Amino acid sequence: MTTDSSVAKVSIVGAGIQNAPGYAARMFGTLADAGINIEMISTSEIRITTIIAEDRVEEAVRALHAAFELE
């Protein structure tokens, strides 16, 4: 088993996210536009989670807040 402490999770969460098209594309596109590499993706009925470099978390959260108009 290998571990990597230099990564972090960033998720978007919402009821019905699975049935509403476009959320994953918007999340992935936003991170790509910011030059943030996604190491891994996990999904469930209410959450889309990405694993990214820990030193990019603050930038990723700011970009996602702007993309989803949470500011």
Side-chain angles (χ1 to χ4, degrees):
M1 183 155 111
T2 305
T3 61
D4 187 347
S5 61
S6 65
V7 296
K9 289 192 324 185
V10 175
S11 301
I12 59 172
V13 180
I17 204 167
Q18 182 181 29
N19 297 325
Y23 284 104
R26 189 184 315 176
M27 180 183 195
F28 304 152
T30 297
L31 295 175
D33 290 346
I36 298 170
N37 186 48
I38 297 172
E39 301 290 333
M40 187 173 74
I41 299 166
S42 175
T43 64
S44 72
E45 291 90 16
I46 63 165
R47 178 178 41 230
I48 301 170
T49 299
T50 58
I51 302 296
I52 63 169
E54 182 180 35
D55 63 351
R56 305 293 303 271
V57 168
E58 191 173 327
E59 181 182 356
V61 170
R62 277 196 214 119
L64 290 169
H65 276 209
F68 287 95
E69 301 175 354
L70 300 173
E71 298 179 86

